[in-house]
Amino acid sequence: MTSSTKLNSWTGSDSLLKGARVLVVEDDFLILMELEAILSEAGADIASCRTVKDALALAETNGLTAAVLDIRLGRETIAPVARELAQRGIPFVFYTGQIDADAMRTEWPDRRFVPKPAQPRTIVKAVADLLHH
Amino acid sequence: MEESDGKSGGGEPPGDYAASNAPVIVGIGASAGGIQTLQAFFQALPDATGAAFVVIVHLDPESHSDLASILAARTRMPVVQVGATETLEPNHVYVIPPDRRLHITDREISAVEFDEPRGQRAPIDLFFRSLAERHGDGFAVILTGAGSDGAVGVRAVKEAGGIILVQDPGEAEYPSMPRSAIATGIADFVLPVRELAARIAELVRNRDSVSITDGGQFNEELLRRILAHVRVRTGHDFSKYKRPTVLRRIARRMQVSRTDNLEQYYDLLRDNVDEAQALLGDLLISVTTFFRDREAFEALTVQVIPHLFTEKQAGDTIRAWVPGCATGEEAYSIAMLLLEEASRRDTRSAIQVFGSDLDVRALAIAREGRFPAAIVADVSEDRLRRFFTREGDHFRVRRELRDIVLFASHSLLKDPPFSRMDLISCRNLLIYLDRELQQQACTTLHYAMVPGGFLLVGASETADNPPGLFRNVDRKARIYQSTAQPGDKPRLLPQLLGGLRPREHGFGPPVTPSAALSSAALHRQALEKVAPPSILVDHTQRVVHLSETAGRYLQPSGGPLSGDAVDLIRHELRFELRAALHRALDQGEPTLTTPIPVSFNGTAHRVYLQVRPTDNGEARPRHALVMFIEGEAIEPLPHADQPLERDRSADETIRRLTDELALSQARLRTTREESEAANEELRAANEELQSINEEYRSTSEELETSKEELQSINEELQTVNSELKLKLEAVSRAHNDLQNLMAATDFGTLFLDSGMRIKRFTERVTDVFSLTPSDEGRPLADFAHQLEYDDLLRDARAVLAHLAPIRREIHSRNGRWYDIRLRPYRTVEDKIDGVVITFVDVTERRHVEEALRESEQALRQEKRLVDISREPIFVWDFDDGAIREWNRGCEELYGYAREEALGKRKENLLATSAPGSSFATVKARLGDEGSWNGEFKQRTKDGREVIVESRLQLESVDGRQLVLESTRNITERKRWEHRQHLLLGELTHRVNNTLTLAQSIAHQTMRGSESIEDFGERFEARLLALARAHSVLIGTEWKGGDLGTLVHSELAPYASDNPQRFTVKGEAVWLPPDLVTSFGLVLHELATNAAKYGALSHESGTLNVSWQANHRNNQRLLTIIWREQGGPPAEPPTARGFGSSLIEKGIPNATVKREFRAEGMVCTIELPLPETFDNDLVD
């Protein structure tokens, strides 16, 4: 899948997420692709989807060790997914373009909100932090 | 008046009328209903009574009278209507003619004209007075009649010694006249008319048999006892009153009580308790009238009264005293003179007149101050109007006059007198007293006066005795003036009649030691020496004088020394002396006793007593002379048992025995006689003692009663005293209060009397009037004032006239304002005594009022402004939250009308909440800081929620905490702010998303790029495709985009000259914004591939894009077909790059199928379209 050109080796953080299975929920296809690429390069196994419904289905599967969640999914919000994950003890970070996601910040004061856009290593580091805590 | 001489000339009316041969006069007064009564009277009257009857009735002055002929039918006596003058004859009837009054002299009766105008005539009174002047023993009869005529006259008759008979008012047709006569308290008989006639006949008949002088000899002792009895019973001593007056009054009582002589009367007096009072009443009776003796009063008015006022300072009291005032007319007369003078002088001296008398009944009449209408004869019309009020048949003294006259029961002779009198009128009192008492009375009157005081006495009295006390001012009017000078030493109170006992005479005439013996005395002494010893004894058997040698015969018995001759003499002589004295003093016979053996120093002597009455030619000897004649010594008798002597002396013995027997018998007889006489004396003494005892007992009872009365009076006085003390304290407190009140009230008060003179004023009055305290008493009109108020005096007079208070607000010339009130000055007795004017400075008030008015106006304007303001402003109560004010702005904003809002709780009505806080917190802060600014969320009447910016201000008004709240509706602004906030958030989101997208495109593009140039070219192309999609969205304000437009836009870079190169066909399909982006990128990838490897790489190649939307399973399904033709044969890509992934997965939920055919690639995209979607940014 990846090309062999020099231009590809830009992350420099491979295998940081080795062994992790990360749920990625993002409605925009291009951004989802990017996240999959970044996290895969860091060694993570990826389960991704673009809707709440799909995300809830994936959340019920075993083996998830962390999740990266976009807050707004079209006309839905990620809230039910976050609650399901929290109940299952699966750590997650939010990756969002909203500055003032007040409702979510109020509901999840201890969770990390990574603002869009972010450098790939920031995202990797955030997920890695989830795993090491 | 002209009567004085007749009544009291020299103090002695004629004593015995019987001697003068004038007939007894019976005056009969009748009026309404009188004809029948007179007929009945004369019918019942015997024909020959010996009296002359005078009939006085009220006749019509205009018409002829038939009374004489009417009466003539009922009596055999001749009936005469009096012409000019008639001689009085017994057993005649004289009738008054019309329009005349009758005047009587000693022997004649005459008809004279009235002095008074018709309507004020009292012919009965006039006749009775005339009768009293001349005929002391007349009869006055009052029969039926209206009015009170006769009531004054009967007093005069009574005083002169006459008898008053009145018809029983129960029988009388018109009882008013009898009642008035009875009310004087002096009627002797009140009987039905027939009994009156019978009684008169009897009284006239018995009149001659009544005699005080007992057969020519007047029993002084009996009179003394009668007066003593009166003194004991009534406490009044008449023993020093002029004897004839007293006798005349007693004689009258005897006549009335039908007793014939003094002894009978004395018995009656002792048996009948009431008689003493009746006698006292008669003794005290005196006649008095208003302005009696007109000349004297005129002299008084001219010479004395003005003098009294000249002497006095304002505030002093003028004091006058009328002792013996009887029914008070004299006292009232003097009081009237004083009042008249006072009003003439317009002075403010107080006047006090005292009237005193012994007669309590008369004083009661005086105190009542109600006099029969007949006084019009004595009192002028002016005075009647000023000093009296008419009450039917009577006149009553007005309060003004009554208040200044005080009546007291008081004896001029017995009681301590009043003091510091300026004027004393003591008329017709001294004449009743004997010279000694007159002296005492004059001294008392002198004592009672101020130095230079005036004394008025009766026409026949003088005040010259004792001399030097008074100086004559007007001899004719009998006005005297006290000679005392103001600097004189205080005089001693003259001796008054003290206790009840008359003074006892001494033991005997006082013996005046003579300095030298006269020759007559020498002779008497010589005679005494040779004459037998003797003693002089008076009629009470007391030793008056002893001769020098008489001591030999005196041998007083033991016990207290007595002057009695029998007690002093030797006991052997006593028996004979007593008998002899009895003979000598009682019978006037001398006695020579037989010899009496008396033993002197053991030797017996014979002593003869000779007792002789002193011969002065009197019936009863006053003295007796007792002489002692001493014989030879007696030989002691030889003893009887001497035998030698017996025979010789037998005869001698018998003779001596016979002598002794005779002597003994004589002694016995004398003794018996003496014993009888002694018994007689004892009986008499016993009787006397009994009567004295009775007197004592009654005296004792009286004393007991008096004591009790005194005690109760004392208690009453103590009570009165303490009450007075309390009142005095109250008055003094009230005075203090008044002073303080006047000082404390900061407004002027001016008291005016009824003459508009200043009585009193407070300090503040001087702001308006320039007054000084010395101006009190001056007329207010004399003073200029600062007020623009010329009607002040007129208003004051109006208040006095109508008693309605007046109030004005007056501007003064110095620019101040005064509230002036005038109201009548009412005394506690509700008498109007001037005007009270108060001046209250209300300048401040006026200013304040003006300021208040202005501020009120300003306030009203402001309130109006608030009311019409569109800004909501309201006021609510901090404590209970209730809304107090609600303006139009509020009505408009909240929808509640003013009426709905007032009184409701603000936070309830408007559901007020404070965002981010609570209303309670806001209230607390408001309470602490006094104001608060901030936002409230409130609900309107129609349920809308509004957000307001409120400014709260806490104000304390009248002890209530009020909150002024002004609000501004900022709901709309808030909404905009919110929207802006959302927009910003959305923008950020989109920008971030777009940047992230760009980042992704960059990274993905980078992965498939072979060189940096290749990356740059591809990245730029993809960014431009993204930009084109965005430009479609921007054209629709990011609400989405039309599929056709998007296709045309993405294909535009590949357009060429060949118009058939692209075929785009499809219905209008509206895509949501995210699909627009995705489609844009997918279309770009397809177009790029077509340009590189597909149909667009050749000039001949064409591209056909078509789509349609179908409904399947209740969903719109969009099917897009991308068909390339005319290019090189299509081949699947060798490696799956970013472009392929994008095409296959770039559109969410879409199914993408690519067929690589020889004629060209065909790509089919199927996509379920959302049924509807709104473009609201706020989701």
Side-chain angles (χ1 to χ4, degrees), chain B residues 178-218:
Chain B
R179 286 226 173 94
S180 297
I182 292 166
T184 59
I186 54 164
D188 294 303
F189 298 101
V190 177
L191 295 170
V193 67
R194 283 173 196 288
E195 289 175 42
L196 274 185
R199 182 58 58 93
I200 285 173
E202 183 195 329
L203 288 171
V204 173
R205 194 166 55 246
N206 291 347
R207 171 173 163 273
D208 294 340
S209 60
V210 171
S211 172
I212 294 169
T213 50
D214 190 7
Q217 197 175 8
F218 166 64

Side-chain angles (χ1 to χ4, degrees), chain B residues 663-711:
Chain B
L663 185 62
S664 297
Q665 275 173 342
R667 282 180 182 173
L668 186 64
R669 193 168 56 245
T670 318
T671 306
R672 201 162 53 227
E673 278 172 14
E674 278 185 9
S675 168
E676 274 168 15
N679 270 345
E680 194 70 20
E681 275 181 19
L682 278 174
R683 207 176 302 126
N686 190 29
E687 271 174 27
E688 189 138 350
L689 281 174
Q690 266 179 352
S691 89
I692 290 171
N693 190 26
E694 257 173 51
E695 279 182 21
Y696 276 149
R697 199 175 300 149
S698 77
T699 310
S700 163
E701 279 168 22
E702 299 264 338
L703 283 174
E704 197 66 32
T705 323
S706 309
K707 193 179 139 206
E708 280 168 18
E709 278 175 14
L710 276 178
Q711 268 173 353

Side-chain angles (χ1 to χ4, degrees), chain B residues 344-366:
Chain B
R344 252 197 300 281
R345 288 174 174 257
D346 219 355
T347 174
R348 287 192 285 151
S349 295
I351 296 168
Q352 182 67 65
V353 179
F354 298 92
S356 70
D357 202 285
L358 294 177
D359 189 347
V360 180
R361 284 182 313 179
L363 282 179
I365 293 171

